[in-house]
Amino acid sequence: MDGNWGLGLFQALLPLLRKGLNGLPQALEAVGRALLAQRAYLFRLEERQGIWYTSQLSEWAGPDTTPQLHNPALQNLPMREAGYGRWLNLFLQDRAVAGPVRSFPEEERPLLEAQNIQSLLVVPIWVEGRLWGFLGVDDCRREREFPAEEEAFLRAVAEVLALAMELWERTQGLGHLLEAAPLYLARLDKEGRLLYANPSLKRAFPQGVSLPVAEALSVPGRPRTFLSQEGQAVEWILLAVPGPGAEVLEVLALGVDVTEREQARARETRWNTFRRNLLRVYETLMAEGLSDSLFGLILEAALDTIPTAQAGSVTVLMEDGCYHFLAAQGYDLEALRQVCLRPEEPLSLTGHKEAQVFTWKDLERFNARLDETRRRVMEEAGRVREIKAILSVPVYLAGERKAFLYLDNFEQEDAFTPLDLELAQAFASQLGVLLRRMELESQIQHLAYHDPLTGLPNRLFFLEKLAQALKEGAEDLAVMCLDLDGLKLVNDLDGHAAGDEVLRVMAARFRAALRPRDLVARQGGDEFLVLLTNLRSPIEAMRVAERLLEVARLPCPVGERTYHLSTSIGIAMGEPGLSPGELLKRADLALYQAKGEGKNRLSFFEPQLQEELKREIGLLEALREDLEQGKGLHLAYQPIVDLSTGQRVALEALLRWRLAPPSVFIPLAERHRLMPELGRWVLRQACQDQALHGLKVHVNVSPQELLDPTYAFRVAEALEATSCPPANLVLEITESTLIPDERGRDASQALWALRELGVGIFLDDFGSGYSSLERLAELPVDGVKLGQAFTQRLGNPPDPQGPAARMVAAVLALAQALGLRAIAEGIEDEAVLAYLKHLGFPFGQGYLLGRPKPL
């Protein structure tokens, strides 16, 4: 132990060595300050009928720390039954209890947290081989561990304290006890005159004492007991001593000073009243929950427990930095609510750290500083007149004076006793517990009903407000579902931290764009909900939605990058009889339609949407099931013909499904990101079938597949698994695949990787997209397919001078110039076939040349 600890130990032990147990308060203060704690205390442990009880005997509490010495919960506490069996077991093993309260078992924490204890260190005290009690300190400001030297310091103090108690118990003999509890002895004659008085009686009653000898004379030989309260409480036993012939000789009187006993009895009666009143408060709390009215109940209970208090009030520190009245008895509370008590003003009675009594003289001095407005309000409420004394008690919450309990007397300035201050302090402690619980419940409720990222209400809060609005009238409200377009790109490019910041920005924008009475909530992910009420027409809802579309499109700077996003909005108008869930479902269907139409737009719910979605979901589930089980799907092959010889040179694999045509299920699969799985099945099946027909096989590839970085590997795996030569596989892509997506990705890398495999690549529906000649010349493309829209516009017979014929001729010339093979699709009659041959088209495809059939 270093010099600093040695000095601290000396300062803690010196009061005990000088004064014995009378030096305990000073010793506890030295212990608390040495260990940088806010409380130091001594508890007694007693075993009664097999149950260990503990009671707090002494305490030191530092500044801004609520004392607990008179906390009823810390008196006669059954250790094991109250959840502290672990402590008792450690004490019986002469071990300490130490560390942050948060690390303690759950059953131990409530009582400790109610005292604002963050960490504690407690060591047992043994006296003559018996567990006598424990000595401890509390840290109410921080969580910490206590090193070995701090425990050694506290144990050293405990050992000296144990020696002091052993010495006290050995020196207190019967004589000392008799001197400590004075006995009064007297002899009186039959008229009550004093014949003899011992020294103790003479010292206590120098003017003499009047005793009711008549009662003793009425029953000679039988003792009579009565209590006198003249200056002090004395319990007397009188005995009329009979002589020969039953004549009374004299009256003997024995008196015992029971002032302390009576005071203790009165004290216990007051504390019982406190407990009874407090129980009533908590019964109300359990029945009705937390509310401001509980402050009034605690004030009412305090006035009932402290009869000298004739009126009172409670103030609480609010967010504006002022104390405001929340409860009052004997005053006009509504008038007092207009008063703001600033903490720095002496007249606020908020500068003191412990319970304190202010007299009318203090009040006169403070009230003289009141401004005229507040003086008038306070006088109208009766708060400044006729008060002789105010008992003011601070209420602490996390070390801050959060509230004050004021108890007033109108008759005398010394109306309040030390016991009154203790009881008022106990009520103030309960106010602190109540404030802490209200704070925690408020935090819990906020967490339960709000999104932690954006601070917006969450889905649960939104549904409750929507249900309430529907009850008040469904005709003038609307619900919107919003989905951010482009947030996934932000997350993929710069991580979820950037995405979270974008969500916060968008949440603030949406909130600012709404009307004051409207509600916006975050449903989760990139989805938001909006509730509009008091609408005059759907047009008003549309205008609000357009504002939301507009603010979502604004550039969104985050860090060094600026993002450009948009939103899609589905709107459902309220209707009588709809539940909140049904209305949300309608808005979600409308959102689905808006996104399907191209995003960055709004859509109102229409009844047919529900049936369309139901059909679509049914088809989607069936398609997924067939794909997983490998049934219901097959390939049909349409021939590609050499127009000069009429011979088949290749087959195009076309996917067919049992429940819907390609024009229905292919867009369905694209919307629901199912094309990669379908494409994998088609590719594997087409490569297997190629060995059977021996011709080149053409397979259509979706943009979703080509934008997958692993697509070329999957093609290589399929070729290897089916032993299909790469030169016999031709992949057909659309021009839209060549356009970069929202992330800037395109199919260029995949095309070059496929070219390295030796796979052929054709550009399908050439002329219907947006590819440039420059880009076409750069890409590894082997050929182009003229879309059937061009061949169908040629006419029957074709007009060689018509625009359609000139366009077809231009496409062929371009393909020949670039060294690309050209295939004309959609050939359905002889005249068109003859014209295409005349132009010089090498290959053709269409119903005239062969319809799609299973292999």
Side-chain angles (χ1 to χ4, degrees):
M1 187 175 292
D2 60 24
N4 290 334
W5 284 115
L7 177 60
L9 182 60
F10 175 79
Q11 292 173 338
L13 298 182
L14 186 59
L16 294 176
L17 297 174
R18 283 181 172 177
K19 304 178 183 179
L21 295 182
N22 292 329
L24 183 58
Q26 295 92 332
L28 289 178
E29 179 177 358
V31 167
R33 295 190 184 280
L35 295 179
L36 302 179
Q38 286 72 54
R39 289 196 199 97
Y41 42 80
L42 175 66
F43 275 72
R44 180 76 165 99
L45 277 167
E46 295 176 285
E47 187 180 20
R48 301 195 295 268
Q49 297 180 346
I51 298 177
W52 284 88
Y53 294 86
T54 187
S55 297
Q56 189 172 18
L57 299 183
S58 186
E59 178 193 50
W60 168 80
D64 299 334
T65 303
T66 304
Q68 300 294 322
L69 183 58
H70 300 297
N71 187 342
L74 302 181
Q75 302 298 324
N76 288 316
L77 179 72
M79 292 288 285
R80 294 192 192 280
E81 292 74 6
Y84 294 88
R86 181 179 74 95
W87 288 37
L88 184 59
N89 293 336
L90 291 172
F91 292 158
L92 290 171
Q93 300 170 30
D94 197 26
R95 294 168 60 189
V97 177
V101 169
R102 189 170 60 174
S103 67
F104 288 5
E106 186 174 354
E107 64 269 21
E108 297 177 5
R109 295 200 296 266
L111 181 58
L112 303 176
E113 291 172 348
Q115 304 171 60
N116 290 323
I117 302 174
Q118 300 290 316
S119 308
L120 58 78
L121 170 63
V122 179
V123 298
I125 299 174
W126 293 77
V127 176
E128 295 185 342
R130 294 177 293 108
L131 180 59
W132 186 91
F134 55 89
L135 177 68
V137 294
D138 294 341
D139 194 324
C140 299
R141 295 178 181 169
R142 60 193 174 111
E143 293 187 350
R144 59 163 165 153
E145 301 288 347
F146 292 86
E149 60 264 29
E150 293 185 346
E151 181 180 337
F153 171 89
L154 196 59
R155 283 187 177 274
V157 178
E159 289 177 9
V160 173
L161 187 57
L163 291 174
M165 285 184 288
E166 286 181 15
L167 181 62
W168 182 84
E169 290 185 0
R170 290 173 182 173
T171 58
Q172 299 305 303
L174 179 59
H176 290 84
L177 290 176
L178 291 176
E179 289 180 9
L183 295 177
Y184 307 131
L185 183 62
R187 291 169 49 217
L188 303 99
D189 62 18
K190 291 184 290 185
E191 281 72 32
R193 290 188 293 268
L194 192 61
L195 302 177
Y196 167 79
N198 71 345
S200 295
L201 189 148
K202 290 178 180 178
R203 286 194 299 270
F205 301 99
Q207 305 301 323
V209 62
S210 176
L211 300 174
V213 296
E215 293 187 21
L217 292 172
S218 63
V219 284
R222 293 175 57 185
R224 301 298 300 269
T225 302
F226 78 99
L227 184 68
S228 70
Q229 299 277 4
E230 298 177 4
Q232 60 180 306
V234 179
E235 190 171 76
W236 293 95
I237 301 177
L238 276 66
L239 177 66
V241 181
E247 182 181 356
V248 174
L249 298 178
E250 61 184 4
V251 177
L252 299 179
L254 177 65
V256 179
D257 188 341
V258 292
T259 302
E260 291 186 3
R261 186 193 73 186
E262 292 303 309
Q263 288 176 345
R265 182 179 295 170
R267 180 186 182 87
E268 183 62 22
T269 300
R270 297 279 299 280
W271 278 108
N272 284 338
T273 303
F274 165 81
R275 297 183 188 101
R276 184 177 63 252
N277 285 327
L278 194 62
L279 178 62
R280 189 170 70 249
V281 171
Y282 277 88
E283 285 175 347
T284 304
L285 172 63
M286 297 302 293
E288 301 178 6
L290 285 169
S291 65
D292 288 351
S293 63
L294 282 174
F295 291 101
L297 286 177
I298 287 188
L299 175 60
E300 184 179 321
L303 291 171
D304 182 62
T305 307
I306 305 173
T308 51
Q310 298 167 317
S313 55
V314 174
T315 62
V316 175
L317 185 63
M318 298 298 190
E319 293 181 357
D320 62 0
C322 289
Y323 290 92
H324 293 268
F325 287 90
L326 289 190
Q329 290 280 336
Y331 302 113
D332 183 349
L333 178 59
E334 291 306 314
L336 290 177
R337 287 187 190 276
Q338 305 174 41
V339 177
C340 169
L341 300 176
R342 288 181 283 274
E344 67 275 7
E345 293 180 325
L347 57 91
S348 300
L349 305 185
T350 56
H352 50 293
K353 300 178 180 180
E354 298 177 352
Q356 185 172 340
V357 175
F358 295 91
T359 67
W360 62 274
K361 297 176 183 178
D362 300 317
L363 297 178
E364 280 189 348
R365 186 170 64 256
F366 295 155
N367 293 336
R369 306 183 189 182
L370 277 174
D371 57 82
E372 188 59 34
T373 301
R374 286 195 295 174
R375 173 186 292 279
R376 177 179 51 79
V377 172
M378 296 283 272
E379 287 183 352
E380 287 177 357
R383 189 67 174 74
V384 300
R385 295 179 297 173
E386 303 175 357
I387 300 176
K388 296 296 184 183
I390 291 183
L391 171 52
S392 177
V393 192
V395 177
Y396 287 92
L397 182 62
E400 180 184 12
R401 281 169 290 188
K402 187 67 176 177
F404 278 86
L405 170 64
Y406 301 115
L407 301 175
D408 308 338
N409 181 276
F410 303 111
E411 297 173 353
Q412 55 191 71
E413 59 184 77
D414 59 349
F416 297 109
T417 66
L419 178 58
D420 293 333
L421 268 69
E422 290 179 24
L423 291 166
Q425 185 66 64
F427 277 108
S429 297
Q430 296 305 313
L431 275 172
V433 171
L434 177 61
L435 285 172
R436 177 60 175 163
R437 179 165 174 176
M438 293 183 75
E439 181 183 71
L440 291 175
E441 291 204 6
S442 176
Q443 293 173 359
I444 291 172
Q445 184 166 1
H446 187 274
L447 289 174
Y449 283 99
H450 287 77
D451 169 48
L453 177 63
T454 63
L456 292 179
N458 60 15
R459 177 183 172 87
L460 179 60
F461 184 93
F462 184 89
L463 286 173
E464 290 190 5
K465 292 299 182 183
L466 176 56
Q468 180 181 347
L470 286 171
K471 288 180 181 178
E472 294 172 356
E475 295 83 357
D476 62 348
L477 65 81
V479 167
M480 296 182 183
C481 285
L482 285 73
D483 186 285
L484 288 180
D485 307 322
L487 183 67
K488 187 175 187 303
L489 172 61
V490 177
N491 289 329
D492 291 347
L493 288 177
D494 297 317
H496 285 274
D500 289 347
E501 187 58 33
V502 168
L503 282 170
R504 281 189 282 265
V505 171
M506 288 298 178
R509 289 181 180 179
F510 292 156
R511 186 162 41 198
L514 294 176
R515 304 167 305 170
R517 62 179 176 270
D518 297 332
L519 172 67
V520 58
R522 184 184 177 207
Q523 178 160 247
D526 58 0
E527 296 181 1
F528 295 84
L529 301 171
V530 173
L531 172 61
L532 307 179
T533 54
N534 298 323
L535 295 172
R536 290 185 291 271
S537 69
I539 299 297
E540 192 174 0
M542 185 176 69
R543 288 172 181 164
V544 174
E546 288 172 344
R547 284 203 305 272
L548 294 173
L549 290 172
E550 183 179 348
V551 299
R553 285 192 294 264
L554 295 174
C556 181
V558 174
E560 298 180 356
R561 192 186 290 269
T562 298
Y563 302 101
H564 297 274
L565 289 84
S566 61
T567 187
S568 302
I569 304 176
I571 309 172
M573 302 303 296
E575 290 183 14
L578 286 179
S579 68
E582 291 168 335
L583 192 56
L584 270 182
K585 185 177 180 181
R586 287 188 171 190
D588 196 50
L589 287 172
L591 172 64
Y592 181 80
Q593 183 184 38
K595 294 178 73 69
E597 292 174 352
K599 304 180 180 179
N600 189 26
R601 64 190 62 216
L602 62 88
S603 175
F604 278 87
F605 169 80
E606 298 173 0
Q608 70 270 18
L609 282 177
Q610 203 148 353
E611 289 302 318
E612 291 174 3
L613 181 65
K614 186 176 180 180
R615 286 194 298 271
E616 179 166 315
I617 296 302
L619 283 175
L620 180 63
E621 291 176 352
L623 181 58
R624 281 200 175 111
E625 183 177 347
D626 283 357
L627 186 58
E628 290 174 1
Q629 298 179 4
K631 66 179 185 180
L633 294 165
H634 70 274
L635 294 180
Y637 290 94
Q638 186 175 30
I640 299 173
V641 176
D642 184 330
L643 297 185
S644 62
T645 65
Q647 296 296 316
R648 296 183 176 186
V649 294
L651 296 176
E652 181 178 0
L654 301 171
L655 181 61
R656 296 294 185 262
W657 183 41
R658 63 185 178 90
L659 292 182
S663 60
V664 173
F665 76 82
I666 294 297
L668 175 71
E670 288 176 340
R671 284 196 300 273
H672 295 278
R673 314 295 295 180
L674 199 59
M675 283 307 301
E677 295 179 54
L678 277 177
R680 189 179 297 115
W681 186 90
V682 170
L683 180 65
R684 180 66 64 95
Q685 189 65 43
C687 288
Q688 286 178 350
D689 291 347
Q690 194 276 329
L692 299 177
H693 56 70
L695 300 174
K696 286 188 177 184
V697 61
H698 286 233
V699 175
N700 291 286
V701 183
S702 75
Q704 292 178 18
E705 294 177 273
L706 277 177
L707 292 178
D708 183 349
T710 66
Y711 181 70
F713 295 101
R714 288 198 280 109
V715 172
E717 288 175 352
L719 293 171
E720 182 178 359
T722 60
S723 301
C724 176
N728 287 349
L729 175 64
V730 178
L731 300 178
E732 295 187 6
I733 65 173
T734 61
E735 288 185 76
S736 60
T737 308
L738 305 178
I739 303 173
D741 70 354
E742 60 183 7
R743 303 185 190 181
R745 302 178 304 175
D746 61 23
S748 302
Q749 292 183 348
L751 295 181
W752 284 108
L754 293 169
R755 167 58 62 87
E756 291 295 321
L757 287 176
V759 172
I761 300 171
F762 266 63
L763 196 60
D764 196 11
D765 288 333
F766 182 71
S768 60
Y770 306 95
S771 57
S772 66
L773 294 181
E774 179 184 6
R775 184 151 177 75
L776 182 62
E778 292 176 351
L779 292 174
V781 177
D782 299 295
V784 295
K785 296 183 75 175
L786 178 70
Q788 61 180 349
F790 289 100
T791 58
Q792 289 173 357
R793 284 201 296 268
L794 286 173
N796 190 7
D799 178 6
Q801 302 304 317
R806 291 198 300 272
M807 179 65 73
V808 170
V811 170
L812 177 60
L814 176 62
Q816 291 171 340
L818 294 175
L820 303 177
R821 286 176 286 175
I823 301 174
E825 291 185 293
I827 302 175
E828 297 182 359
D829 57 66
E830 293 290 349
V832 170
L833 175 60
Y835 179 73
L836 292 173
K837 284 183 179 181
H838 173 72
L839 282 178
F841 258 94
F843 305 104
Q845 184 179 359
Y847 282 2
L848 181 65
L849 303 176
R851 290 178 175 271
K853 296 179 181 178
L855 188 62

